[in-house]
Amino acid sequence: MESLPIVDVSAADRDAIAHEIDDACRASGFFVVVGHDVSASLTARVESRAREFFALSDDEKREVAMPHGGRAWRGWFPVGGELTAGVPDMKEGFYFGEELGPDDPRVRAGRPLHGSNLFPRRPPELRAAVLEYVDAVTRLGHALLELMARALGLDEQWFARHLTTDPVVLFRIFHYPPLPAGATPNQWSVGEHTDYGLITILGQDASGGLEVHGPDGWIAAPPVPNGFVVNLGDMLERMTGGRYRSTPHRVRNTTGADRISFPLFLDPAWDADVLPIPGMTDPTSDATGRWDGASVHEWSGTYGDYLLAKVGRVFPALLGEVLPDSTGP
């Protein structure tokens, strides 16, 4: 495989679309979706407002730093403030999620990673752009899960009934400064990792830098006009017994320009017990041979348990600061 497959979801034949998605999920766990209903102008607004925010001074950005978000785990972090496999990333970012008010029962119960978003004073338009984008891309995510259910031989509402009636929806905007000119081949903007939940839908600017570990080695995943990169998370690999892949990926920004990307993660409900789909295995897959030596197939617990352990490794200091009652990763 030399490039990611491109799937046009506007085609009339849903069986044909599902077949293309199934092929991609089995081969690499990555594909590019086009023909969707998310407007290019909305994506451009998010990118433009994000660039305005990241151009501000760190002192101003600290007004919405993640510790201010408390248990909701929302806000800005500086370059080097997030870890991947214990190594600081060469990026800064802004964490968002589903907008939930203080009267929401999940917020009243103190559920981590649920609550109100933090938004900066400048640019004021960022709030509207982010909330509109989260709604639009979440709808796309549910539509893609319907097609994946069809591809797996399930009815299209299977995920909605079992896992995503009340999904965990997380959204990030990342700014990658260019790596220094003398960066070694082993220096990464974000190192090798997999995502945690069901699917990730990634918007990215025109600079590139994303790499995917395909069946025959690492391949570039350059941006496609008005296309989103879609990849699978650990829970989908677990549910399908390895038939679908949660594939390692990484980022290296050596373009000399600033890179902006904005992934949305559509994940199972916080209290979902994510179990393998009965009879759903891939006899050709190695269910335990993952990049990090861990096994999503041997793990047990709710998705909230899994997610909190993972983000605790990404922000270990913040975990103890805002969730002191947590047992941690």
Side-chain angles (χ1 to χ4, degrees), residues 56 58 69 77 171 294:
L56 300 174
D58 281 5
F77 67 87
F171 177 55

Side-chain angles (χ1 to χ4, degrees), residues 92-124:
E92 63 178 319
F94 209 136
Y95 272 39
F96 304 94
E98 184 181 4
E99 180 72 7
L100 303 174
D103 293 333
D104 187 280
R106 295 162 290 184
V107 179
R108 291 203 309 268
R111 181 178 292 178
L113 279 75
H114 290 71
S116 299
N117 289 294
L118 294 178
F119 290 102
R121 291 184 293 110
R122 298 192 298 164

Side-chain angles (χ1 to χ4, degrees), residues 6 22 77 83 99 106 172 181 196 206 236 240 275 291 294 327:
I6 297 176
D22 188 62
F77 67 87
L83 307 180
E99 180 72 7
R106 295 162 290 184
R172 317 286 191 239
Y196 311 143
L236 204 49
T240 61
L275 300 174
W291 66 281
T327 58

Side-chain angles (χ1 to χ4, degrees), residues 78 86 230 304:
V230 178

Side-chain angles (χ1 to χ4, degrees), residues 13-94:
D13 189 340
R14 290 181 67 81
D15 285 331
I17 300 172
H19 180 74
E20 291 182 47
I21 290 176
D22 188 62
D23 283 347
C25 293
R26 286 172 179 261
S28 67
F30 269 81
F31 59 93
V32 177
V33 61
V34 298
H36 51 76
D37 293 332
V38 182
S39 72
S41 62
L42 174 57
T43 302
R45 279 170 51 208
V46 172
E47 180 186 338
S48 177
R49 300 293 86 80
R51 290 188 183 278
E52 290 180 45
F53 171 77
F54 289 122
L56 300 174
S57 70
D58 281 5
D59 283 343
E60 185 168 347
K61 287 182 282 193
R62 284 191 191 96
E63 296 176 4
V64 287
M66 288 188 73
H68 298 305
R71 297 178 72 91
W73 213 277
R74 312 287 171 84
W76 170 78
F77 67 87
V79 174
E82 186 174 48
L83 307 180
T84 298
V87 178
D89 295 338
M90 295 307 295
K91 72 175 190 294
E92 63 178 319
F94 209 136

Side-chain angles (χ1 to χ4, degrees), residues 246-285:
S246 178
T247 302
H249 46 286
R250 62 193 185 187
V251 175
R252 193 165 192 262
N253 181 17
T254 57
T255 64
D258 294 297
R259 178 180 189 262
I260 299 291
S261 73
F262 28 102
L264 182 136
F265 306 88
L266 180 57
D267 294 350
W270 182 266
D271 57 359
D273 189 4
V274 184
L275 300 174
I277 300 170
M280 192 69 65
T281 59
D282 181 354
T284 67
S285 73

